[in-house]
Amino acid sequence: MKNHRLLILIVSLLFMTTPIYSDTIELIEGIENEKENPSRGHRSLPIYCEINFEEETISGPSILDYITDYEIWDESGESCFSVSYDGSSFVQTLKMLPTPGIYSIVLRGPDVVLSGYIQF
């Protein structure tokens, strides 16, 4: 009986000390109609943002304040799984995706398109 209590105590302590699960992703800035307006030779610096799965938030530089559409695509970018209109819904959808997997994410705003990949 003492062993069971000790095991329950250890498991409880592990859950209490488990860090918040988050992931940092790298996004590259593009233009809305890249096929119509190719920017040959133009390379943007990566933008890093953090997705916090416990708090269901996405944070990073101020450019994220202008994002209106959060898209999740398959790795090849051929099939769109989801379009969310706020960061919290976007993170909730990411949490429900089958794992393991690699997904393309596209964040769109009035004058910006950010894209990158996330792997689970």
Side-chain angles (χ1 to χ4, degrees):
M1 187 68 162
K2 277 189 169 186
N3 288 339
H4 291 297
R5 287 185 194 164
L6 181 59
L7 179 62
I8 291 171
L9 176 62
I10 291 171
V11 170
S12 298
L13 289 174
L14 285 174
F15 279 113
M16 289 174 27
T17 59
T18 301
I20 294 175
Y21 177 66
S22 64
D23 198 359
T24 301
I25 58 171
E26 177 180 297
L27 301 170
I28 303 297
E29 185 175 357
I31 55 176
E32 183 63 39
N33 296 313
E34 196 161 349
K35 291 180 181 173
E36 295 173 15
N37 300 312
S39 54
R40 293 192 178 118
H42 176 70
R43 297 282 184 248
S44 296
L45 294 175
I47 296 169
Y48 294 94
C49 67
E50 182 177 1
I51 298 175
N52 185 312
F53 291 97
E54 292 254 339
E55 296 177 5
E56 297 180 345
T57 58
I58 181 168
S59 58
S62 61
I63 195 168
L64 294 177
D65 296 341
Y66 301 100
I67 300 301
T68 57
D69 299 350
Y70 301 78
E71 302 173 1
I72 303 171
W73 294 74
D74 65 356
E75 183 179 5
S76 66
E78 293 179 7
S79 297
C80 183
F81 294 132
S82 170
V83 178
S84 301
Y85 300 103
D86 64 79
S88 180
S89 298
F90 169 70
V91 177
Q92 289 172 6
T93 304
L94 283 174
K95 288 168 55 174
M96 293 186 295
L97 292 173
T99 57
I102 300 174
Y103 300 93
S104 172
I105 59 173
V106 179
L107 310 181
R108 298 181 191 275
D111 296 319
V112 67
V113 176
L114 304 173
S115 60
Y117 292 91
I118 189 164
Q119 181 175 0
F120 297 104

